[in-house]
Amino acid sequence: MKRVSLNLGDIIDPEMSSRTRAKKKKPQSLILSLPEDVIVDILARVSRFDYPILSLVSKHFRSLVASPEIYARRSLLGCTEHCLYALAYDRDNDVYRWYILRRKANGNSRFVLIPSLPAMPSIGSIVAVGSMIYVFGGINKYNLSTSALTIDCRSHTAQPLTSIPEPMFHTIADIMDRKIYVTGYSYFDDFVWKKVMVVFNTETQKWEEPGVVKANIELGNIHHYCCVVMSGKLYTRDDDNSYVYDPMENKWETDEMLHSKKWNNAHVVDGVLYYFDRVENIIRTYDPKQRCWGVVKGVEKLLYKTRYKGWSKSTQMVHLIQMKAIYEQ
């Protein structure tokens, strides 16, 4: 798609006389004199990577580039774009911040800080749903997660959600059937910590009732980067076991075959789990229906150790925490 670039100088009437210009304190933009639907149609054809700059033109532009109408129009025009976001730890400032992968005119890409988004909690779980990012985290003096927020990737703004029904820590989360399942440790009487689950409905934007679901088996210290959804079930692991949660039956089970490999940082494509085995330098696959492991062939030459590249000079001292692909709706 041909990239459209807006230049305010190009949309000001060039025939306006110097006398008329002197009478006006501000030049009248021709685009603002157009009907609203025409303005939306024009802006919908501009890359959303330019929207943060367009939002600085005026309050009207800021409202338009964040409106549902412009994204609906982008979908009809076939102008939707996928974006990659990265949550990284900035060692210099001791904060966790969001970055977006920006494409440059010469074809290269780099991660750029999103200054409008606040610093993120050091402990928490992150789930991408359409053009939204849900963050479940934040800690109080008892090290319990009590807060949650949403990040609108269309406007790069953050809004708080209602508090998590049960304060917890060391959480994992993922989405199944438009519901986000958040699991973590919660404190009970007599200094006993139990694994519990709460469910957030992304359609109603409310927590499901009843508020807390207790695990039917003892779950270990499950890992943040070992949580995926396959075939309508949630999979995770600790050092001793891999677990699968069935929301239809509301119960946890162990999966010995899945745990035969120390999988982490996995992704699911067409119902199959993929992860990079750093020890063997191969990409492994796991099919939950066949309950068997496999290896991706033909990519051996591509698998070599590399350093992170593409960070801007001002953010070289960062440590990558999570990356999320965001899809326009």
Side-chain angles (χ1 to χ4, degrees):
M1 182 185 73
K2 184 178 180 181
R3 183 166 177 166
V4 179
S5 176
L6 291 181
N7 187 320
L8 292 181
D10 295 336
I11 56 179
I12 298 175
D13 189 352
E15 297 181 358
M16 183 181 295
S17 66
S18 58
R19 180 179 300 178
T20 304
R21 290 178 182 177
K23 292 181 179 179
K24 292 181 177 290
K25 294 182 179 180
K26 295 182 180 180
Q28 178 64 38
S29 172
L30 289 180
I31 192 172
L32 294 179
S33 65
L34 297 173
E36 185 82 354
D37 58 338
V38 176
I39 297 177
V40 170
D41 192 78
I42 293 174
L43 297 182
R45 300 170 188 272
V46 180
S47 172
R48 73 179 299 273
F49 291 105
D50 295 322
Y51 280 11
I53 296 177
L54 287 175
S55 66
L56 300 177
V57 174
S58 65
K59 291 182 178 180
H60 189 201
F61 270 40
R62 189 179 309 122
S63 175
L64 285 177
V65 298
S67 66
E69 290 78 15
I70 198 168
Y71 286 91
R73 187 58 180 159
R74 287 172 62 82
S75 180
L76 290 175
L77 293 171
C79 298
T80 56
E81 298 171 278
H82 295 174
C83 304
L84 187 64
Y85 287 75
L87 179 63
Y89 174 63
D90 186 336
R91 295 188 182 96
D92 292 340
N93 299 304
D94 191 30
V95 293
Y96 295 80
R97 300 298 301 268
W98 280 107
Y99 297 78
I100 184 173
L101 187 65
R102 287 276 173 84
R103 293 189 296 269
K104 301 174 69 174
N106 59 8
N108 295 331
S109 301
R110 67 172 183 147
F111 279 102
V112 178
L113 174 68
I114 305 175
S116 61
L117 294 180
M120 292 291 105
S122 59
I123 300 175
S125 299
I126 297 169
V127 179
V129 183
S131 56
M132 304 292 290
I133 295 177
Y134 291 80
V135 182
F136 304 94
I139 56 176
N140 61 16
K141 62 181 179 180
Y142 302 107
N143 293 325
L144 299 178
S145 300
T146 58
S147 63
L149 60 85
T150 59
I151 295 173
D152 190 335
C153 295
R154 297 169 299 184
S155 59
H156 284 168
T157 57
Q159 297 291 335
L161 285 176
T162 55
S163 297
I164 297 176
E166 183 71 16
M168 62 179 70
F169 79 101
H170 200 76
T171 62
I172 63 168
D174 215 321
I175 186 167
M176 291 183 286
D177 193 25
R178 302 179 183 179
K179 296 180 180 179
I180 300 176
Y181 293 77
V182 185
T183 305
Y185 282 105
S186 185
Y187 175 74
F188 287 83
D189 294 334
D190 301 323
F191 299 99
V192 176
W193 297 91
K194 294 290 185 179
K195 215 72 169 187
V196 298
M197 174 184 288
V198 291
V199 184
F200 183 79
N201 191 317
T202 60
E203 286 191 324
T204 63
Q205 292 292 294
K206 295 180 179 180
W207 295 98
E208 295 278 281
E209 296 290 345
V212 179
V213 180
K214 297 182 181 179
N216 58 290
I217 62 175
E218 185 66 29
L219 300 176
N221 188 22
I222 52 182
H223 296 283
H224 284 279
Y225 309 124
C226 298
C227 182
V228 296
V229 171
M230 296 184 289
S231 303
K233 298 180 180 180
L234 187 147
Y235 292 78
T236 186
R237 61 168 285 257
D238 61 12
D239 292 333
D240 301 316
N241 292 292
S242 286
Y243 306 94
V244 53
Y245 174 73
D246 187 340
M248 299 299 294
E249 299 184 10
N250 188 27
K251 70 176 184 179
W252 289 89
E253 295 179 340
T254 57
D255 190 326
E256 295 182 0
M257 178 57 71
L258 178 62
H259 197 69
S260 62
K261 306 297 181 184
K262 298 298 182 181
W263 61 280
N264 59 19
N265 290 311
H267 296 273
V268 176
V269 179
D270 295 332
V272 177
L273 178 147
Y274 293 80
Y275 90 97
F276 177 53
D277 187 329
R278 296 181 181 272
V279 177
E280 299 294 333
N281 199 41
I282 56 177
I283 296 177
R284 295 190 183 276
T285 66
Y286 180 75
D287 188 330
K289 294 182 179 179
Q290 302 295 327
R291 292 179 60 81
C292 64
W293 283 97
V295 176
V296 177
K297 302 293 185 180
V299 295
E300 293 80 7
K301 294 182 180 180
L302 300 177
L303 299 177
Y304 56 89
K305 294 182 178 180
T306 61
R307 297 180 179 179
Y308 287 119
K309 296 181 179 180
W311 296 97
S312 62
K313 183 177 180 180
S314 61
T315 57
Q316 288 179 349
M317 293 300 294
V318 294
H319 173 60
L320 189 63
I321 304 300
Q322 292 201 42
M323 300 181 73
K324 294 293 180 181
I326 305 301
Y327 305 90
E328 286 188 21
Q329 290 184 325

